[in-house]
Amino acid sequence: METPATRAVETRDRVVVRFAGDSGDGIQLTGSQFTQTAAVVGNDLATFPDFPAEIRAPAGTLPGVSGFQIHFSSEDIYTPGDAPDVLVAMNPAALKVNINDLKSHGICIVNTDKFKANDLRKAGYDADPLDDGSLDGFRTFKVPLGTLTKSALENTGLNSKDSERCKNFFALGMMYYLYNRSLDHTEAWLETKFKSKPEVLEANVIALRAGWSYCEASELFQTTYEVPRAKLEPGLYRSISGNSALCHGLLAASMKSGMRLFLGSYPITPASDILHQLAGYKNFGVMTFQAEDEIAAIGAALGASYSGVLGLTTTSGPGMALKGEFLGLAIMVELPLVVINIQRGGPSTGLPTKTEQADLLQALYGRNSEAPCIVIAARSPADCFETAFEACQLSLEHMTPVVFLSDGFIANGSEPWKIPDADALPPIGNALRTDVEGFQPYLRDERTLARPWAVPGTPGLEHRVGGLEKEDMSGNVSYDPLNHEQMCRVRAEKVRRVADRLPLAVPDGFDAGGVLVLGWGSTYGAITAATRRARAAGIRASHLHLRHLFPFPKNLEEVLRRYDHVLIPELNLGQLSMVVRAQFLLEVQSLNKVQGQPFKESEI
């Protein structure tokens, strides 16, 4: 589609769009297609899919509202945006949940077909917001999306219900018109998606084009907008979600180490996507096992590591609680194991589809006795690739479990990912041993203290494993008090020595003085945007983000003491703050939020 010459077009550096409606309205699909088109155009982007917690919440009610926000730009961006410039609301509940976030004088497109008396009642409205003046502060466009879609499809042979289901593509066509986007990418996707259902393909393509044509014919928007291509570092890019990048990182680690991957997993939101994606990598030697529960999943993964492959297990916070004993066993027998925790709101079942980063203390200390292991955290969707790769590398080379922390915001969000050069990725070693001479199960590498990895069935490398304390060197069961203390100290020192290979902490901003904002995990984008905005305003603000949470970078304390103030924003009630205070006896300021929503730039 070409831009009509008579239409006024404004250029914007960045735009935030939010789609909202019932789960059955295709909100996530609509948002993902808009995202893919923005990626094809070459914009920098960040997304925030916001799923309802109820699987089958009643249609038209507040708990059933699904949202998808995308921030796309011609400049570097770090968050999905604080407030949308445009809100597309499919029903009164979607409007009520999201309208307070819309910018003043922002564009509000509402589906008037769903503003009947019963719809208003289910959303808790006493009066129709389209008529009572409550939307006067916005540029409101009232569009009967369902009616217009059914009219466009009346000659396709689809029944009324199936025709109305295409209204999300009608709305998507309107948004492509508003931002001068081509329909080509989405039409190509539809042709692939529905090639075996030509009637569905035809209907959705017609609805998409009808949305565009409606805007053009009605002159609904006096002004449309363009967001130019971003000036990204040269390379091949794709839009990627956190869970997908994580899978690619695990697979790359398998290739670079020469080790097969085994995933033992029990489905749990928001980690299930990892099991789904890795199950498709059988041709790369990946083995996946859907266990009957969380305990069986980690038990199978640890058994796989014992047999000479890299064991993985995925879960969220409630599942981490069940995996604790087996994780302690992995620490005691000193085998590689990567435990991936995609955090969500808690405690207990909590907020299954909402984000939180409140499992830090659980990852650090949530096991009986002295059971230290490496803990690292990804900071963004694209960063999941490198962090997952490093998690495997550390686990294999140091013969110890690694806990990998992500969260729902990172897992489901998307951003551009520069596809790395596979040949440039570092090789990954391992401690596999076949030499019989001088073998003892707990004979240690002088540098890393890693023990040898003896695969069962290798002649001459027979040894015992199990949950009872091991005798130093021989691995025999030992109840000797001094041996137990020795083994506890050695296991702790082995993990501590990982810090010797970690990069030193380097803040973004000033080397000293003013305020340092210290973060970890998914707060990265909001902190980066806020501190850079603060510096532009003349505030002496710097930012340090931690990937390595246990052990810390070796110079962390020295860096923190160079600043007048240390602020730690977290999606919990102050867990990293507690650890920093305890370890360094340093006073810090906490900024905490536990609402199931990520930080906004303005909040920091």
Side-chain angles (χ1 to χ4, degrees):
M1 298 278 185
E2 297 294 331
T3 303
T6 57
R7 193 192 330 153
V9 180
E10 290 185 8
T11 299
R12 294 285 175 88
D13 292 332
R14 59 186 64 203
V15 171
V16 179
V17 173
R18 184 182 299 178
F19 299 93
D22 278 326
S23 293
D25 288 332
I27 296 302
Q28 302 303 320
L29 174 60
T30 306
S32 65
Q33 282 302 304
F34 196 92
T35 299
Q36 292 296 329
T37 297
V40 169
V41 170
N43 296 134
D44 196 7
L45 61 91
T47 69
F48 178 35
D50 194 11
F51 305 95
E54 300 290 339
I55 296 175
R56 295 187 183 276
T61 63
L62 303 185
V65 173
S66 176
F68 190 105
Q69 182 162 305
I70 173 174
H71 185 187
F72 58 106
S73 174
S74 60
E75 303 171 342
D76 287 344
I77 55 173
Y78 303 96
T79 75
D82 282 10
D85 300 284
V86 179
L87 170 64
V88 179
M90 291 293 195
N91 59 30
L95 182 70
K96 190 169 190 177
V97 168
N98 294 282
I99 191 62
N100 289 335
D101 291 336
L102 185 63
K103 290 179 180 177
S104 178
H105 304 296
I107 294 174
C108 181
I109 300 172
V110 293
N111 175 23
T112 55
D113 285 336
K114 289 296 184 179
F115 277 72
K116 306 296 191 294
N118 191 46
D119 301 309
L120 297 170
R121 179 188 59 78
K122 287 190 289 186
Y125 276 114
D126 296 325
D128 189 341
L130 302 184
D131 299 327
D132 66 3
S134 60
L135 301 181
D136 287 350
F138 309 106
R139 297 161 58 196
T140 303
F141 297 88
K142 304 173 186 179
V143 183
L145 291 174
T147 300
L148 291 170
T149 303
K150 287 187 283 188
S151 176
L153 302 180
E154 61 183 355
N155 295 323
T156 63
L158 286 184
N159 61 43
S160 177
K161 182 178 179 181
D162 288 340
S163 293
E164 205 224 352
R165 291 179 63 185
C166 298
K167 66 182 181 295
N168 61 321
F169 279 96
F170 190 99
L172 183 59
M174 293 178 63
M175 297 308 296
Y176 284 159
Y177 179 93
L178 182 60
Y179 288 103
N180 293 290
R181 301 283 146 133
S182 171
L183 310 184
D184 293 348
H185 176 80
T186 296
E187 290 186 1
W189 178 85
L190 285 167
E191 289 173 4
T192 301
K193 177 72 173 177
F194 297 113
K195 61 182 178 182
S196 62
K197 299 179 179 179
E199 70 284 357
V200 177
L201 166 61
E202 179 189 21
N204 282 304
V205 170
I206 290 174
L208 182 70
R209 293 176 178 176
W212 174 287
S213 298
Y214 170 73
C215 295
E216 186 172 35
S218 66
E219 298 184 347
L220 188 68
F221 305 115
Q222 297 301 310
T223 302
T224 62
Y225 306 94
E226 286 187 350
V227 179
R229 174 185 295 271
K231 295 178 177 63
L232 301 173
E233 181 184 346
L236 180 62
Y237 286 83
R238 58 161 290 187
S239 175
I240 199 165
S241 70
N243 276 353
S244 184
L246 168 60
C247 291
H248 287 294
L250 296 172
L251 185 60
S254 172
M255 299 294 103
K256 282 296 183 176
S257 65
M259 307 294 299
R260 296 187 68 187
L261 294 181
F262 175 93
L263 173 65
S265 183
Y266 178 74
I268 183 171
T269 301
S272 301
D273 291 345
I274 303 167
L275 174 60
H276 300 161
Q277 185 166 337
L278 286 181
Y281 291 161
K282 295 181 179 66
N283 291 341
F284 295 97
V286 177
M287 300 171 283
T288 54
F289 166 60
Q290 181 173 319
E292 66 269 29
D293 57 43
E294 296 282 6
I295 299 172
I298 189 173
L302 182 56
S305 287
Y306 177 55
S307 71
V309 302
L310 176 58
L312 315 167
T313 188
T314 56
T315 189
S316 190
M320 280 295 292
L322 295 170
K323 294 181 187 292
E325 184 177 2
F326 260 121
L327 182 52
L329 176 61
I331 292 167
M332 171 174 278
V333 299
E334 300 184 48
L335 285 169
L337 178 70
V338 177
V339 180
I340 297 167
N341 178 4
I342 313 296
Q343 301 164 96
R344 72 189 202 191
S348 187
T349 307
L351 306 171
T353 64
K354 306 302 180 183
T355 198
E356 202 169 86
Q357 50 176 174
D359 296 348
L360 176 59
L361 294 181
Q362 181 188 49
L364 294 174
Y365 309 120
R367 297 166 292 281
N368 63 303
S369 189
E370 299 292 337
C373 68
I374 300 168
V375 179
I376 65 177
R379 69 187 191 184
S380 71
D383 184 57
C384 284
F385 176 87
E386 289 186 9
T387 311
F389 185 92
E390 185 178 6
C392 297
Q393 182 180 38
L394 293 174
S395 188
L396 287 168
E397 295 181 357
H398 293 266
M399 288 293 287
T400 191
V402 174
V403 174
F404 173 103
L405 295 176
S406 176
D407 61 37
F409 177 46
I410 292 175
N412 296 317
S414 299
E415 66 180 352
W417 174 52
K418 184 182 179 184
I419 299 175
D421 178 1
D423 294 335
L425 295 173
I428 296 178
N430 60 65
L432 282 172
R433 176 160 180 154
T434 56
D435 184 13
V436 174
E437 186 174 351
F439 170 74
Q440 293 198 70
Y442 287 85
L443 177 68
R444 299 185 180 278
D445 179 273
E446 292 183 1
R447 181 179 63 86
T448 65
L449 298 182
R451 79 173 184 90
W453 193 359
V455 175
T458 306
L461 302 187
E462 296 85 359
H463 62 287
R464 296 177 176 86
V465 295
L468 295 174
E469 182 61 279
K470 306 295 177 287
E471 182 180 71
D472 195 12
M473 301 297 284
S474 74
N476 295 331
V477 174
S478 173
Y479 297 102
D480 180 70
L482 294 179
N483 176 78
H484 175 57
E485 180 163 339
Q486 165 71 5
M487 292 299 281
C488 285
R489 292 185 181 278
V490 169
R491 288 190 290 261
E493 175 63 15
K494 180 174 71 167
V495 175
R496 189 204 65 77
R497 287 193 184 185
V498 172
D500 294 338
R501 67 178 290 169
L502 300 181
L504 296 178
V506 179
D508 175 43
F510 301 98
D511 289 334
V515 61
L516 175 70
V517 185
L518 178 67
W520 68 278
S522 63
T523 57
Y524 172 79
I527 296 174
T528 299
T531 51
R532 294 189 177 186
R533 178 175 166 185
R535 287 200 295 275
I539 299 172
R540 196 173 183 85
S542 303
H543 174 203
L544 176 60
H545 215 76
L546 297 176
R547 172 185 289 181
H548 305 100
L549 296 163
F550 196 84
F552 283 139
K554 294 179 71 172
N555 68 329
L556 179 59
E557 180 179 7
E558 182 270 324
V559 170
L560 296 180
R561 293 190 179 279
R562 297 203 305 254
Y563 295 86
D564 303 320
H565 307 280
V566 176
L567 174 68
I568 304 181
E570 298 180 83
L571 297 177
N572 58 48
L573 294 181
Q575 296 187 16
L576 179 61
S577 297
M578 182 188 304
V579 173
V580 169
R581 289 187 184 106
Q583 186 161 335
F584 302 135
L585 300 179
L586 181 69
E587 185 52 44
V588 299
Q589 178 67 44
S590 293
L591 177 61
N592 306 121
K593 179 179 179 179
V594 280
Q595 301 171 15
Q597 299 291 317
F599 271 112
K600 296 179 179 179
E601 175 186 339
S602 57
E603 291 172 329
I604 295 174

